[in-house]
Amino acid sequence: MAKHTLIAYVEDVPGVLNRVSSLFRRRNFNIDSLTVGRTEQVGVSRLTVVVEATDAGARIVEANLYKLVNVLRVDDLTHKSALMRELGLVKVKVTPQTRAQVLQLVEVFRARVVDVDEETLVIEVTGTPEKIGKFELVLRPYGIVEIVRTGAVAMARGSALLSSAPPLVRTDSSADHGNDDSGLSMSV
């Protein structure tokens, strides 16, 4: 099994996230990472889901996502050239003797300190999920007090779109779209 990165464009309405996560639960897939945010198109949110599955399992999940009413489009980025990033905040213990060593690691990982007190540093690090994991690993000997990670966000590289078919979005008023009375519009 491999990690699959699925992008789902959904209507920005209450209950969508619950329906999507319930689908994964019903199919007995564990979600490694789930992030949600608004897109450049009003009324559309983008879910980035990382799940461990076989290729066949990922295709089944994708097909089942399309069955959900509020899902507009699904793309599998797993075998495409893509950028994947995550943000982590790490609170680590420091002493006067270890502070310089921790700050050196911050520099090596191109992270930055966002909060300082006498006993701890809070460090912000961005990068691939693997980079965040390695950063956590090297800080463990110093004593991690707390860590929080956003989950992965992903985007296809280059100028090519993920899908040539933009998602259809239900609109409140079809008057803005000429004679079209379907209540649907296309993003461009």
Side-chain angles (χ1 to χ4, degrees):
M1 286 209 278
K3 290 192 186 223
H4 286 262
T5 304
L6 301 172
I7 306 295
Y9 291 88
V10 298
E11 293 176 3
D12 191 7
V13 296
V16 174
L17 181 58
N18 182 45
R19 285 188 283 282
V20 169
S21 62
S22 291
L23 180 140
F24 283 86
R25 178 190 49 80
R26 284 191 313 270
R27 296 287 175 203
N28 206 25
F29 285 99
N30 186 42
I31 297 172
D32 286 344
S33 170
L34 172 66
T35 58
V36 183
R38 292 198 169 113
T39 65
E40 68 283 356
Q41 186 178 357
V42 176
V44 177
S45 288
R46 176 184 172 130
L47 280 78
T48 305
V49 184
V50 179
V51 64
E52 195 162 312
T54 62
D55 286 346
R59 284 192 298 276
I60 289 169
V61 169
E62 185 176 346
N64 279 280
L65 281 169
Y66 272 116
K67 292 179 183 178
L68 298 177
V69 172
N70 303 110
V71 174
L72 306 169
R73 186 177 84 213
V74 181
D75 293 304
D76 188 346
L77 280 183
T78 306
H79 303 295
K80 296 179 181 171
S81 180
L83 298 168
M84 186 175 292
R85 294 292 183 266
E86 188 173 319
L87 178 127
L89 292 175
V90 184
K91 185 183 289 186
V92 63
K93 290 180 191 176
V94 292
T95 65
Q97 295 78 25
T98 62
R99 186 178 301 270
Q101 295 167 352
V102 171
L103 289 173
Q104 215 171 13
L105 290 171
V106 167
E107 223 174 281
V108 167
F109 278 85
R110 294 186 179 146
R112 67 187 191 115
V113 175
V114 292
D115 187 54
V116 177
D117 75 13
E118 291 177 13
E119 299 175 358
T120 62
L121 295 175
V122 177
I123 303 158
E124 176 186 298
V125 59
T126 59
T128 64
E130 294 78 17
K131 176 184 176 182
I132 309 291
K134 288 177 183 173
F135 188 60
E136 179 183 347
L137 192 65
V138 299
L139 288 179
R140 282 221 180 269
Y142 297 96
I144 292 178
V145 176
E146 186 177 0
I147 186 167
V148 62
R149 294 171 69 161
T150 60
V153 291
M155 181 179 283
R157 287 183 175 271
S159 60
L161 298 173
L162 282 177
S163 174
S164 59
L168 293 174
V169 183
R170 297 189 192 293
T171 59
D172 292 335
S173 168
S174 58
D176 299 333
H177 302 289
N179 296 332
D180 179 18
D181 61 356
S182 66
L184 299 176
S185 68
M186 291 182 69
S187 69
V188 182

